[in-house]
Amino acid sequence: WETPEGQLLGPGAVVPVAERSGLMFELTQAIFRIAMNQLSQWCGLGYRWKVSCNFSVSDLTEPRVVSVLDDALTATSVPAELVILEVTESKLPEDVASVMSSLTRMRLKGCGISIDDFGTGFSSMEQLRRFPFTELKIDRAFVNGAHAKPSARAIFESSVDLARRLGMSSVAEGVEDEADLALCRALG
């Protein structure tokens, strides 16, 4: 977002304010619609890129979340399989009923579901078992510099292998140099 003075505000400044003011779902809706409009334009040009959008736990407990997603996809004619919904692992709730319902319904519509910041929460394996994830997004703490840090590399390699064994795709955050890129390529 941009302030009236032209200053660009990042998510770290905007999201906490939206959460505190009870406007998180409205913010998510607006961003999702913008993303779907852009994806629709790309599809019109012949590109079939996937787009990931973050959803907070409060968004996923909102009863209207699936209909809002469905409306945006219908209005833009974007195929659901090009949309990945990201949920931050450390924010997943203990009481999962409403979140599980929303994620399952979105998955049944064809959207991918990504567990974001994998490895930073306390119940990673339990979350993988409970939720209908299609993608494991490995946190940058285990990717950036992994080529030179044996412990980070072991976690990174194990996470990629785990995703593969579970039939999920994996995404590496924090690739910032050629050596880490080479490692990612070697791991597939």
Side-chain angles (χ1 to χ4, degrees):
W1 299 123
E2 194 172 319
T3 67
E5 299 81 31
Q7 180 184 12
L8 189 61
L9 298 176
V14 175
V15 171
V17 174
E19 287 175 337
R20 282 194 307 272
S21 62
L23 296 172
M24 191 64 218
F25 187 63
E26 286 73 15
L27 177 62
T28 300
Q29 285 181 77
I31 292 170
F32 187 74
R33 286 188 180 121
I34 291 168
M36 293 307 98
N37 284 327
Q38 181 61 63
L39 184 54
S40 178
Q41 289 177 19
W42 288 331
C43 287
L45 295 171
Y47 300 107
R48 292 197 44 91
W49 295 327
K50 291 188 178 187
V51 171
S52 296
C53 296
N54 288 80
F55 279 71
S56 72
V57 169
S58 65
D59 292 332
L60 296 171
T61 59
E62 168 62 50
R64 301 172 293 152
V65 68
V66 177
S67 63
V68 164
L69 177 137
D70 215 17
D71 291 348
L73 292 175
T74 300
T76 58
S77 300
V78 167
E81 64 268 11
L82 297 181
V83 178
I84 300 171
L85 310 174
E86 292 187 11
V87 184
T88 302
E89 176 208 354
S90 60
K91 306 284 189 208
L92 287 169
E94 290 298 318
D95 177 24
V96 300
S98 61
V99 172
M100 178 66 80
S101 173
S102 294
L103 289 176
T104 301
R105 290 169 54 209
M106 291 173 181
R107 184 68 194 108
L108 288 171
K109 290 185 179 298
C111 295
I113 310 291
S114 179
I115 184 168
D116 195 11
D117 299 334
F118 182 76
T120 60
F122 294 108
S123 56
S124 301
M125 299 305 164
E126 180 65 15
Q127 304 299 17
L128 286 176
R129 189 183 64 77
R130 292 165 84 179
F131 290 94
F133 293 113
T134 59
E135 178 182 276
L136 189 143
K137 194 169 177 188
I138 305 162
D139 190 75
R140 67 179 296 109
F142 308 111
V143 177
N144 187 268
H147 69 280
K149 299 176 196 165
S151 60
R153 182 180 179 134
I155 294 168
F156 180 35
E157 288 177 351
S158 297
S159 298
V160 171
D161 184 56
L162 178 64
R164 191 173 288 121
R165 288 173 179 247
L166 293 173
M168 300 167 62
S169 60
S170 56
V171 174
E173 294 182 309
V175 178
E176 296 178 6
D177 59 35
E178 290 294 325
D180 285 334
L181 180 58
L183 177 59
C184 289
R185 286 182 173 146
L187 294 175

